[in-house]
Amino acid sequence: MKKYSLFLMLGAAFLTFNACKSELDLDKELKFSKLSVEEQKQKIEESGTEFIDAMEGIQETQAMTTMMNMLTMTGGEVFSAPMQKLSADIKNARKDAFTNFDKQMRVSYVDSEVWGEYEYNFETEEMEKTKDLTNKIVARFPATAASTKNNAVITITYEESSVVVPDSDGEKYPSKITYKMTVDSKEVMSAEFSGTYYSDGSPKKVTQSLKMDDYKWTAKIANDQKTASESYEFKKGSKTMIKSVAEVSGILKADELQDAIDNESPQDAIDKFAVYFQVMNVAVKGGTSDFKKMADEGQALDSEKLSDKEYAEKTAEILNKYMVCTAFFVDDNRKFADVELYVVEVVDEYAEYDWEQGKYVSKTYYDLAPRFVLSDGSKVDAQEYVQEGFDDLIKRLQDMTGSYDNQ
């Protein structure tokens, strides 16, 4: 457990925040909020409640009700996979609903057998193919179960790039996919994917968007092989609900980057990185401007001379030395906590089975977790801080999403 890759550990640390150009300015020092700790918690809870209200509203949009009606129609499954995934993700409030829809669009519409014009037949009560098309789908159907005419139309187009997917049978990446839904000639939903790629298949520039009534998702990837960035934003009207930005600088050609990772020396390719993640009015940003020194020090630790706990503690010390990480309120640009990593003890009760004793033997591991350093200097585990005192918010989340056990 002590000899894990520093690069992978760093990724895991920031994924705790679901990470991520002003948002990425690590040199800008933020002043502490003048609110008390309890007032800060109330402000965080208000953001969470507002987010849930907005997510519940998506299910009532014209696009969602029309989509749900279409999914009940026999024959619609030939082109409805992305919509099935999107409706399920939105119903269960999954934060990756947008990216899942985009991926499903790219997977579903490579098959040429899907292309064509479809229309709902009220006599047979089925979606029927009426015309063959090339790289295009047009589907006409009733927007509601009570509709007596095909007043909803979905139009999908697909354009292929010239770049072949590595290790495929000549399959090529898509350069553009568009999706549009209208009801009574009014557009209620639209989506678009466009991408350009290097010859090795790595993305050069990718943009994605999805609009549904007052809700809009956008995502962008850019890589000039020196700086790579990725951004995602989910808005309702002009209000940002979720936003994440991540940027890495260094030698980012696919082969050289992969070699560095395979050799467990990511510092040979990466110079610095920064991440930013925001939900409503609460944000976290962090990163380092000297990834090489941080990685070198981490790899210089002698794992053979240190216990698992000592190794984890030394690693946390190095990361905290080189990384800047802050949690703050977006509206007034004031922080409510600095963020640091610390060591937590994890006991696995079923780590190994002892055949001689006929029972499982527990084992203790040491992981890194983020904690908040508040304005009064006190320290509290980030998860504990967010959960403590948010009973109403957590109950609303559970009511809205239901159990995740079967997902």
Side-chain angles (χ1 to χ4, degrees):
M1 288 296 293
K2 291 187 289 186
K3 296 182 179 180
Y4 44 77
S5 163
L6 181 64
F7 178 76
L8 295 177
M9 185 206 57
L10 277 171
F14 276 97
L15 284 174
T16 308
F17 304 115
N18 294 327
C20 292
K21 316 230 310 260
S22 58
E23 294 100 337
L24 300 178
D25 185 356
L26 302 180
D27 295 325
K28 185 177 181 180
E29 180 67 26
L30 299 182
K31 295 181 179 179
F32 266 107
S33 169
K34 295 181 179 179
L35 300 176
S36 67
V37 171
E38 288 307 312
E39 289 173 328
Q40 290 173 8
K41 287 187 176 182
Q42 182 179 355
K43 197 168 182 177
I44 294 172
E45 184 169 20
E46 288 171 354
S47 283
T49 301
E50 187 178 1
F51 178 79
I52 293 172
D53 288 339
M55 288 298 293
E56 289 176 333
I58 298 178
Q59 299 184 47
E60 306 303 320
T61 62
Q62 174 74 74
M64 279 296 295
T65 56
T66 302
M67 192 184 304
M68 294 304 294
N69 186 56
M70 188 275 293
L71 294 177
T72 66
M73 298 177 184
T74 304
E77 62 274 5
V78 296
F79 57 85
S80 63
M83 286 156 278
Q84 288 177 326
K85 184 63 177 172
L86 179 63
S87 60
D89 284 347
I90 287 177
K91 182 179 179 181
N92 291 297
R94 294 191 178 100
K95 59 182 173 57
D96 53 359
F98 164 60
T99 51
N100 284 344
F101 174 76
D102 180 77
K103 289 175 184 176
Q104 191 65 57
M105 284 261 287
R106 282 176 276 167
V107 170
S108 297
Y109 303 134
V110 172
D111 186 354
S112 61
E113 293 182 6
V114 175
W115 307 120
E117 199 164 310
Y118 300 80
E119 190 159 344
Y120 182 73
N121 186 319
F122 285 89
E123 292 184 2
T124 63
E125 298 184 342
E126 294 184 1
M127 290 291 295
E128 298 179 352
K129 190 173 185 179
T130 60
K131 185 178 180 181
D132 288 327
L133 296 174
T134 301
N135 292 343
K136 186 175 183 178
I137 293 172
V138 179
R140 297 180 176 87
F141 58 97
T144 66
S147 298
T148 57
K149 60 180 182 179
N150 290 327
N151 59 328
V153 182
I154 291 175
T155 304
I156 302 162
T157 65
Y158 180 92
E159 296 178 23
E160 195 176 69
S161 74
S162 59
V163 181
V164 176
V165 177
D167 302 320
S168 73
D169 295 327
E171 178 187 340
K172 295 180 180 178
Y173 286 104
S175 65
K176 187 175 183 179
I177 305 174
T178 65
Y179 175 104
K180 183 171 74 171
M181 179 194 292
T182 62
V183 175
D184 294 324
S185 300
K186 179 185 176 182
E187 185 177 292
V188 297
M189 178 179 171
S190 63
E192 183 172 322
F193 167 90
S194 64
T196 57
Y197 316 87
Y198 292 103
S199 58
D200 59 16
S202 58
K204 182 184 297 183
K205 185 176 182 180
V206 175
T207 60
Q208 306 156 249
S209 67
L210 171 61
K211 190 176 187 299
M212 189 184 299
D213 287 8
D214 201 26
Y215 297 88
K216 186 173 183 180
W217 295 256
T218 56
K220 298 179 181 179
I221 296 174
N223 178 16
D224 63 8
Q225 299 185 327
K226 293 180 180 178
T227 300
S229 63
E230 184 175 72
S231 65
Y232 167 84
E233 188 167 21
F234 174 32
K235 301 179 75 172
K236 181 186 180 185
S238 60
K239 182 179 285 294
T240 296
M241 297 176 63
I242 299 177
K243 185 175 184 179
S244 66
V245 185
E247 185 175 275
V248 178
S249 298
I251 304 171
L252 304 180
K253 290 183 178 180
D255 290 342
E256 294 178 53
L257 179 59
Q258 189 61 54
D259 286 344
I261 295 173
D262 290 344
N263 294 329
E264 295 193 3
S265 56
Q267 64 270 37
D268 290 344
I270 297 173
D271 296 329
K272 59 183 179 179
F273 70 85
V275 295
Y276 170 93
F277 182 71
Q278 172 189 346
V279 176
M280 305 303 287
N281 190 35
V282 180
V284 174
K285 68 176 179 179
T288 180
S289 59
D290 200 339
F291 183 80
K292 179 173 174 53
K293 284 187 178 179
M294 182 174 70
D296 285 344
E297 283 197 30
Q299 292 180 336
L301 292 176
D302 191 339
S303 60
E304 300 301 323
K305 294 182 179 180
L306 299 171
S307 66
D308 285 357
K309 184 177 181 180
E310 290 171 333
Y311 184 82
E313 289 172 340
K314 289 289 186 182
T315 300
E317 183 181 318
I318 292 169
L319 294 177
N320 290 329
K321 175 182 175 181
Y322 286 101
M323 289 198 307
V324 176
C325 197
T326 306
F328 62 101
F329 295 117
V330 178
D331 58 357
D332 58 9
N333 207 31
R334 282 183 174 268
K335 67 180 176 181
F336 61 87
D338 288 311
V339 184
E340 67 178 16
L341 296 170
Y342 77 112
V343 177
V344 292
E345 185 177 288
V346 180
V347 178
D348 184 352
E349 298 288 349
Y350 302 97
E352 298 175 4
Y353 190 80
D354 189 320
W355 292 97
E356 291 185 3
Q357 299 185 50
K359 64 179 182 179
Y360 283 97
V361 179
S362 65
K363 189 171 183 178
T364 300
Y365 300 100
Y366 297 92
D367 289 334
L368 302 184
R371 66 182 173 193
F372 292 149
V373 182
L374 305 177
S375 57
D376 61 2
S378 60
K379 300 181 179 182
V380 58
D381 181 276
Q383 185 174 359
E384 178 185 331
Y385 179 89
V386 173
Q387 287 183 345
E388 187 179 301
F390 296 119
D391 293 341
D392 291 341
L393 177 58
I394 292 172
K395 184 178 185 304
R396 284 204 61 192
L397 279 168
Q398 291 172 336
D399 290 343
M400 180 177 71
T401 62
S403 172
Y404 280 83
D405 293 340
N406 296 319
Q407 294 174 17

